[in-house]
């Protein structure tokens, strides 16, 4: 089982990401938005944890009514330069009040962890899983932010 | 000017530490070039033909004498003893060593300067009017707002990986000295019918290979809503902007493909959700404004001085410089003084460490210890007493910083071109020098009046050639350097894109072509008609005939 960073700790991952063709299995699973939309009924009866995977191409707003069904939303970063899911994470937290786990997957590098966490992402499958301990330090790259962020909802200008 | 408090300072110090570690990991082989690239770009570091190039941010162009001295020192110690001021009020060092960059950034951080987000696909340095705060026609000083934007945009966690770079400019008067209509977002402080001051917001302007003039997205935005509105625009762009093709990734293309009305709907819909969270409070606005109060002007500066009028009458050279290189000030008895970085024969925008040190000393002596950079690659002292002008002129002149050519033909904006830039098709600096040297007769220059030549070495258009009165663009034709001319562009309040003159011109005819254009203008203008007005009245054809007829 692979290790991930969750809530600033290295933990064993206990989720399985199912392809659209893969048979359903017991335990915690994530599916693509397409599969969720097609197999809504069946998946609703799944006994383990259920998560959904979204990329910046997927229509976030379409799954908002279903968010209560998911314990995990996985945001895909096909390239670290694709910043769309930073906005998705913020919207999920700030606007749609999603309280479950939000995970970054794909080209997720140490140097993006600080910004990702400020946007509300709390677990990370790093592209290079060999440097997890080192990566933990990245959360402390900065001790302050000017902006209103998910971790600090009051912008600095109201706190100084 | 703005002074860092403990929060600002802590953040830039932490940035230096972060970048030091990133550089170390790169040099140790833990980061690939591809992974290091966006990290170094977000700290202003490009890799160019000769060496890395480091672009340092000068927020809305303001520098203290202490900062200028530090720039001089850093340039001498880590580079070849000069820096280059850019069209976005920043400066660049062309020869630093990669392993020295963390130390350079630490030096700069000690005087509250940084290179954060000066390149990369993020929100860049916010620019403004170099005469902000001293211009009599100003509705409101834009600098506190530029600073508020600087802070909001610095390390914005959501907008560090945008589809493309993003530039914001803000001005406080109808005169537009910051090319706001050619920015991703342009902000104009305006007064509405009720007499309240707010922002007119433009979006989707830009230069480069597809130059587009920005469109109005909101005629009036209340000031306290500034940040929420900007955040709404950025969020819409971050989601919608194209990522499949970097030439179509700027917000100008997003606006063009979706239409301004659709973009406005999306932005306004987003905005209602975040408006309250980011509403600026009075306390913060006052906190920032206190750094931009007026210096201690002598209110009788005009009356107490009798020498100025005499000197103007006696010394023709001085009078010419005053006419060309100084600008009106809202306080009588004061003027703004341009420091020309366009001496013919020198690369436009370059300044040596020795010159920078003199610039710093003169700022302390004559202009309350401050100097600003302009988007035309010059510097300006904004608060000089008229009684001090003569002394200042003599000192600037001794350093070759008083060429009386501001806004004339030889005040050329020019990109680095083939001399430094890895993307260039063609040489630009040597030809700009050639133009400046050919037309160095001052009487001729002043007779020609306001003519802006903008010269870029490739389609990326770093020198804004598409909005030059005369634009020159280097193009590659089968490995040879050719030049495409455009006429009639402007980046000011009457912004327009230049029109093509005709087929491209070989390198050895570029200077002659400029000469033909000027001859045509002199023949065809009405009395006192500017070059731009003449082109707008008669179109490019008469110029075209003159230039291409000369071929046969
Ligand atoms: C030598 C290194 C340089 C390189 C590699 C470089 C590269 C580029 C590129 C690729 C673009 C196009 C970006 C786009 O359209 O999205 C661009 C635009 C631009 N560059 Fe440079 N540049 C360099 C130096 C400069 C200098 C020295 C200046 C200032 C004098 C400058 C000012 C600009 C400006 C103002 C734009 C703006 C275009 C816009 O806003 O649409 N660049 N540059
Ligand atoms: S216009 Fe082209 S040649 Fe000139 S600096 Fe920009 S990218 Fe380089």
């Amino acid at each position: 089982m692979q290790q991930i960073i969750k809530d600033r700790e290295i933990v064993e991952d206990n989720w399985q990401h199912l392809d659209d063709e893969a048979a359903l299995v017991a335990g915690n699973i994530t599916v693509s938005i397409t599969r969720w939309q097609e197999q809504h009924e069946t998946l609703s009866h799944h006994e383990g944890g259920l998560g959904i995977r979204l990329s910046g191409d997927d229509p976030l707003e379409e799954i908002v009514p279903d968010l209560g069904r998911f314990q995990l939303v996985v945001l895909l970063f096909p390239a670290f330069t694709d910043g769309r899911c930073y906005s998705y994470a913020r919207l999920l937290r700030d606007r749609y009040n999603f309280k479950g786990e939000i995970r970054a997957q794909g080209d997720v590098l140490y140097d993006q962890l600080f910004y990702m966490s400020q946007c509300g992402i709390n677990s990370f499958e790093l592209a290079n899983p060999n440097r997890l301990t080192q990566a933990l330090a990245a959360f402390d790259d900065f001790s302050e932010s000017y902006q209103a962020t998910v971790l600090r909802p009051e912008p600095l200008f109201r706190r100084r | 000017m703005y002074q860092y408090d403990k929060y600002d300072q802590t953040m830039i110090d932490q940035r230096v530490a972060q970048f030091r570690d990133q550089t170390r990991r790169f040099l140790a082989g833990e980061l690939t070039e591809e992974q290091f690239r966006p990290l170094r770009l977000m700290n202003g570091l490009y890799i160019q033909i000769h060496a890395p190039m480091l672009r340092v941010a000068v927020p809305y162009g303001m520098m203290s004498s202490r900062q200028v001295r530090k720039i001089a020192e850093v340039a001498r110690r880590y580079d070849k003893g000069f820096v280059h001021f850019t069209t976005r009020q920043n400066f660049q060092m062309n020869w630093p060593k990669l392993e020295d960059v963390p130390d350079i950034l630490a030096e700069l951080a000690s005087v509250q300067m940084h290179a954060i987000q000066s390149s990369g696909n993020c929100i860049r340095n916010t620019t403004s009017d170099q005469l902000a705060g001293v211009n009599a026609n100003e509705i409101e000083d834009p600098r506190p707002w530029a600073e508020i934007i600087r802070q909001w945009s610095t390390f914005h966690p959501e907008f560090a990986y945008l589809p493309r770079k993003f530039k914001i400019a803000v001005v406080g008067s109808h005169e537009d000295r910051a090319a706001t209509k050619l920015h991703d977002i342009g902000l104009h402080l305006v007064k509405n019918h009720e007499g309240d001051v707010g922002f007119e917001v433009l979006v989707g302007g830009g230069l480069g290979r597809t130059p587009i003039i920005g469109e109005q997205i909101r005629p009036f935005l209340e000031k306290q809503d500034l940040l929420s509105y900007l955040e709404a625009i950025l969020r819409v762009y971050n989601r919608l902007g194209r990522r499949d093709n970097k030439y179509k990734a700027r917000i100008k293309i997003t606006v063009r493909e979706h239409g301004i009305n659709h973009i406005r709907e999306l932005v306004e819909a987003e905005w209602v959700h975040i408006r309250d969270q980011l509403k600026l409070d009075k306390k913060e606005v006052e906190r920032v404004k206190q750094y931009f109060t007026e210096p201690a002007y002598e209110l009788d500066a005009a009356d107490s001085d009798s020498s100025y009028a005499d000197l103007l009458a006696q010394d023709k050279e001085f009078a010419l410089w005053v006419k060309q290189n100084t600008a009106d000030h809202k306080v009588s008895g004061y003027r703004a003084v341009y420091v020309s970085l366009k001496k013919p024969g020198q690369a436009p925008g370059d300044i040596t460490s020795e010159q920078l040190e003199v610039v710093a000393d003169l700022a302390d002596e004559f202009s309350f210890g401050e100097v600003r950079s302009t988007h035309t690659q010059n510097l300006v002292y904004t608060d000089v007493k008229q009684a001090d002008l003569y002394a200042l002129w003599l000192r600037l002149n001794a350093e070759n910083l008083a060429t009386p050519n501001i806004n004339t033909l030889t005040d050329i904006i020019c990109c680095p071109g083939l001399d430094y830039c890895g993307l260039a098709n063609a040489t630009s600096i040597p030809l700009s020098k050639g133009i400046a040297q050919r037309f160095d007769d001052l009487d001729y220059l002043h007779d020609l009046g306001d003519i802006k030549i903008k010269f870029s070495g490739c389609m990326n258009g770093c020198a804004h050639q598409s909005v030059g009165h005369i634009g020159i663009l280097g193009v590659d034709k089968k490995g040879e350097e050719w030049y495409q001319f455009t006429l009639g562009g402007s980046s000011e309040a009457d912004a327009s894109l230049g029109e093509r003159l005709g087929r491209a011109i070989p390198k050895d005819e570029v200077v002659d072509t400029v000469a033909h254009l000027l001859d045509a203008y002199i023949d065809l203008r009405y009395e006192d008609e500017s070059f731009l007005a003449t082109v707008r009245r008669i179109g490019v054809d008469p110029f075209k005939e003159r230039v291409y007829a000369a071929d046969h």
Side-chain angles (χ1 to χ4, degrees), chain A residues 87 95 111-112 146-147, chain B residues 8 25 152 158 161 270:
Chain A
S87 289
R95 185 149 321 150
D111 299 281
Q112 278 85 49
Y146 288 110
Q147 300 76 14
Chain B
D8 304 294
R25 283 187 284 138
W152 162 81
E158 188 179 344
Y161 297 95
E270 181 59 41

Side-chain angles (χ1 to χ4, degrees), chain A residues 3-15 71-72 100-103 122-125 136 139:
Chain A
Q3 290 193 316
I4 61 164
I5 293 179
K6 184 176 171 191
D7 297 327
R8 306 184 61 162
E9 283 177 20
I10 299 172
V11 298
E12 299 292 322
D13 183 15
N14 53 9
W15 286 83
Q71 288 78 51
L72 171 66
E101 178 179 342
I102 300 183
R103 181 181 296 192
N122 69 320
S123 74
F124 307 88
E125 290 178 19
L136 285 175
F139 294 104

Side-chain angles (χ1 to χ4, degrees), chain B residues 150-169:
Chain B
R150 183 191 74 80
Q151 298 192 13
W152 162 81
S153 61
T154 299
F155 306 136
H156 199 303
E158 188 179 344
F159 305 132
Y161 297 95
L162 295 170
R164 203 74 181 85
K165 60 185 174 182
F166 204 92
K167 302 176 180 183
I168 303 175

Side-chain angles (χ1 to χ4, degrees), chain B residues 506-520:
Chain B
K507 189 171 175 181
D508 57 2
E509 288 173 24
V510 166
V511 181
D512 288 337
T513 300
V514 174
H516 295 314
L517 292 172
L518 298 178
D519 288 345

Side-chain angles (χ1 to χ4, degrees), chain B residues 140-329:
Chain B
E140 186 176 316
D141 188 344
R143 292 171 302 165
W145 302 105
E147 176 58 30
I148 285 170
I149 297 169
R150 183 191 74 80
Q151 298 192 13
W152 162 81
S153 61
T154 299
F155 306 136
H156 199 303
E158 188 179 344
F159 305 132
Y161 297 95
L162 295 170
R164 203 74 181 85
K165 60 185 174 182
F166 204 92
K167 302 176 180 183
I168 303 175
V170 44
V171 293
S173 81
H174 296 301
E175 304 143 25
D176 187 350
R177 276 175 290 263
T180 56
K181 294 188 172 171
L182 299 151
H183 278 73
D184 298 279
I185 294 179
L187 295 165
H188 299 162
L189 281 153
V190 291
K191 211 175 245 169
N192 68 6
H193 292 307
E194 287 75 51
D196 297 327
V197 175
F199 295 99
E200 179 195 9
V201 186
L202 307 183
V203 71
L207 294 160
R209 45 188 78 210
T210 319
I212 296 181
I213 291 176
E215 292 185 78
Q216 186 192 71
I217 184 164
R218 195 161 230 282
F220 190 84
L221 177 70
E222 288 179 37
K223 289 190 282 189
Q224 71 260 28
D225 292 324
L226 177 63
L227 296 186
S228 54
Y229 205 79
L230 294 179
E231 186 135 321
I233 295 176
L234 264 298
R235 185 171 286 164
V236 166
Y237 169 58
N238 190 37
R239 293 186 60 178
L240 204 61
R242 285 180 60 170
R243 292 173 188 267
D244 58 329
N245 177 339
K246 79 171 186 171
Y247 300 117
K248 300 203 163 144
R250 296 285 295 269
I251 197 174
K252 62 190 174 190
I253 307 292
T254 321
V255 171
R256 196 155 81 174
E257 289 182 349
H258 293 267
I260 184 74
N261 292 330
H262 182 54
I263 298 291
R264 182 181 299 114
E265 277 166 29
L266 294 174
V267 168
E268 302 260 332
E270 181 59 41
W271 182 46
V272 293
H273 292 289
I274 56 180
R275 198 170 165 182
D276 287 335
Q277 192 191 17
L278 290 179
K279 209 174 266 288
L280 281 159
D281 42 44
K282 262 220 176 68
K283 186 172 132 263
E284 170 67 0
V285 176
E286 291 310 317
R287 184 187 79 83
V288 177
K289 280 192 174 171
Q290 69 175 342
Y291 295 107
F292 300 95
T293 50
E294 285 188 1
Y297 294 122
E298 289 172 26
L299 292 177
D300 61 349
D303 307 330
S304 65
D305 162 55
S306 55
S307 61
Y308 179 58
D310 292 344
L311 288 164
L312 281 178
Q314 284 161 22
D315 193 327
K316 190 165 158 262
E317 247 186 280
F318 172 60
L320 189 66
W321 174 79
V322 168
K323 175 168 170 282
Q324 206 60 45
N325 285 20
T326 73
D328 290 343
H329 196 287

Side-chain angles (χ1 to χ4, degrees), chain B residues 46 48 53 55 84-88 92 94 164-165 167 182-184 205-209 246 250 252 377 413-417 420-423 460-464:
Chain B
Y46 287 86
Q48 281 311 309
M53 176 199 90
R55 183 181 297 148
H84 174 79
F85 278 92
T86 78
T87 48
R88 296 199 76 258
Q92 297 182 171
N94 283 321
R164 203 74 181 85
K165 60 185 174 182
K167 302 176 180 183
L182 299 151
H183 278 73
D184 298 279
L207 294 160
R209 45 188 78 210
K246 79 171 186 171
R250 296 285 295 269
K252 62 190 174 190
Q377 303 181 280
I413 298 186
C414 181
C415 83
Y420 299 103
C421 175
L423 303 173
N460 288 313
C462 298
H464 305 181

